[in-house]
Amino acid sequence: HIVSTATHNVLCVICPQSLFNLRHMSYPHVDSEILSTNSTSSSSSSSTSSQSVVRTLCSLVCQSYYQQLTNFRRTSPRLNLSIDKGYLTSEQAITVVASLADEAGSMVALSFFYWAIGFAEFRYFMRLYIVFATSLIAKGNLERAHEVMQCLVRNFAEIGKFKEAVSMVIEMQNQGLVPSAQTLNCIIIVATEIGLVEFADNVFDEMSDRGLSPDSLNFKLMVIAYCRMGRIAEADRWLSSMLERGFLVDNATFTLIISRFCENDHVIRALWLFGKMRDMGFTPNMINFTSMINGLCKRGSIKQAFELLEEMVRKGWKPNVHTHTALIDGLCKKGWIEKAFRLFLKLVRSDNYKPNIYTYTAMISGYCKDKKLNRAEMLLTRMEEQGLVPNTNTYTALIDGHCNAGNFDRVYELMDEMDKKGFTPNICTYNTIVDGLCKKGRVQEAYKLLKRGLKCGLEADIVTYNILISENCKQADTSQALGFFSKIFKVGLTPDIQFYTTLIAAFCRQKKMKESQQLFNDAVRLGLVPTRKTYTSLICGYCRFGDTSLAVKLFQRMSELACVPDSITYGALISGLCKESNLEEAYKLYVVMIDKGLSPCEVTRLTLAYEYCKEDKYANAMSVLDRLDKKLWIRTVNTLVRKLCSKGKVDIAALFLHKLIDKDPHVDHITLSAFMTACYDSNKYALVSDVSERISKGIG
């Protein structure tokens, strides 16, 4: 309730009834029955009826307001107007609120405003908000003007006109209402509720450009919004901006951020925040420690998780069942099943905490991955004896184990058991079985099962499409794979780079490089980052196609983008260059590869050495082999000798065989047999004699 200083002084010394009389000097006192007369009587004075309604309503508003005003308050009282809102038009409502703001004061006008927007015809009438806010701005009451604009944002979001309302909020700066941090908070909260966080992100920037100084709550709300969406990169960006400006993050926000970062595999960043939290003077609580332990376990950092557990205990926190479950799950995923079971037994024997459904599920999943299905089944029975009811995830874990073992009869039994106990298999359950059937070659059975699930109301998720596309690519049915791929977009899902890589690899195997390159370009255009596997697939494809120049360009681009090639990438390009007899470039890559600590596979070693041998460049071939350790050297030379013999190159094979005897007198009998056969076939008995003599004398 903001009035002039003189008026305020008067209000402090007179009673509410006197105040009521003072305020009513501008309005004739009219009973509420005037506004509830029928339409016939009001039409008799049509020229003055609108003004009469406005004056009467202004009087009634003042009367109701001051009757309820018992003391000075910042919030306006709720009006009790016994009138039919049907006799008040939207234009009249605008006139009333403007008149009240001008003559009765902001708080009286605000009371009427809140009464009016309780009705749909006024609630969604934008001019009411704009006129009232403008009147308040003219009176210098910017705080209440912001309050009105915040109402506009909230109410118009109800009818899908949130963006229009926000645009009007920004436009009000032209009327002298500079955006406030509180209004921005309102916009962010509403945007989060209706899933328009990116729009709020843009509004934040625009309001900042228009002179708004954001406060810590503005940043906090943006961080929380993106965290809840699982958009960790954006949440981290806002958090960094918040910390750069010197704003403090409260304990509750830290707890949410750390939890979300760990859930989304951003554990390293979560660890940094965990340390930052302590640096800022906050004491990590049970949730913080458990979240970090869970994140580290998911990442496979079990040792670090147990170190954090020790710190947690030192700080006086006792690990609960959730902490133990995270550790058990981590140990199982690492393959340390017996260690996990010892911790499980510790929990079973505890007086404070007992294993819950999630603990049992983690342990069952561990045994299934370890192919110890009998133990997994035993735990399922034990779990039910303890009064715990297995959930869909428990059954899915057990089904996955039996799928991998090929026990599909038991799989279908478990599905029936789920149905009897009221648990409907979800899409994850179906994905597990479909994937298992496909891997065992029972593809048609997998499709039939999936159709059954979809008929029951399930919707295929991104994992389902990944299984189907991968299976069709394995079968070289790229047209069917593309059909599933296009459907992903139609159902509103977003494929990741793994989908593109799978399809690219399939087309490359068929030497359809135009289609492969198009898919690659599409992925980049969508903002996806090609992986090492993506580049390697394309490089392999171009090398098979005989276009090593494009393969080399991709290899160079890969390095420029800090995507590190592996031995498979190098091997593919080296093989391609060898096919085109570009041995000099192939050898350079081979040297770089070894210098980087990568071990060339046998195909790469053999291909390069053999190509030099084809050109009778024995020294070059030997230089390729001399960069290998003794074990790899012996294995590669054995294979090379056999290959040279099969191609009739007995003389150069003999040179390598003598080198082999130097390093290992116990020559592989298959290699020796192949050499001797080739020599006899080509009538080169002297070579056999030399080798036999060296072996018999044990020279080497």
Side-chain angles (χ1 to χ4, degrees), residues 156-197:
F156 272 63
E158 297 171 355
I159 57 171
K161 293 187 176 181
F162 171 69
K163 291 184 179 180
E164 291 88 335
V166 172
S167 297
M168 187 52 66
V169 169
I170 294 171
E171 279 299 314
M172 286 301 287
Q173 185 169 3
N174 296 329
Q175 303 299 319
L177 190 65
V178 178
S180 73
Q182 291 74 23
T183 302
L184 180 55
N185 287 338
C186 173
I187 291 169
I188 295 170
I189 290 168
V190 175
T192 303
E193 289 172 353
I194 62 177
L196 292 175
V197 180

Side-chain angles (χ1 to χ4, degrees), residues 2 11 43 50 76-77 153 194 212 220 253 264 268-269 295 308 344 384 410 431 441 499 618 668 679:
I2 301 175
L11 295 180
S43 63
S50 181
S76 57
V153 169
I194 62 177
L212 169 68
K220 174 183 167 180
T253 308
N264 289 273
I268 298 299
R269 184 63 171 167
L308 201 59
F344 179 83
E384 292 173 321
R410 178 57 180 155
N431 287 342
F499 282 87
Y618 167 78
D668 181 83
C679 287

Side-chain angles (χ1 to χ4, degrees), residues 621-679:
M622 191 56 71
S623 68
V624 170
L625 300 174
D626 284 345
R627 300 188 69 89
L628 304 174
D629 61 40
K630 184 179 178 180
K631 187 177 179 181
L632 287 178
W633 191 97
I634 291 171
R635 186 193 304 168
T636 308
V637 171
N638 269 298
T639 309
L640 180 61
V641 168
R642 293 197 289 268
K643 185 174 178 68
L644 288 167
C645 289
S646 69
K647 299 295 182 181
K649 290 187 167 291
V650 183
D651 292 318
I652 199 165
L655 294 173
F656 280 105
L657 189 57
H658 281 290
K659 283 286 184 182
L660 182 60
I661 295 170
D662 290 340
K663 289 206 175 189
D664 183 15
H666 306 290
V667 180
D668 181 83
H669 71 278
I670 298 175
T671 304
L672 189 58
S673 176
F675 176 74
M676 294 174 73
T677 301
C679 287

Side-chain angles (χ1 to χ4, degrees), residues 317 374 466 606:
W317 296 102
N374 289 337
N466 191 19
L606 186 64

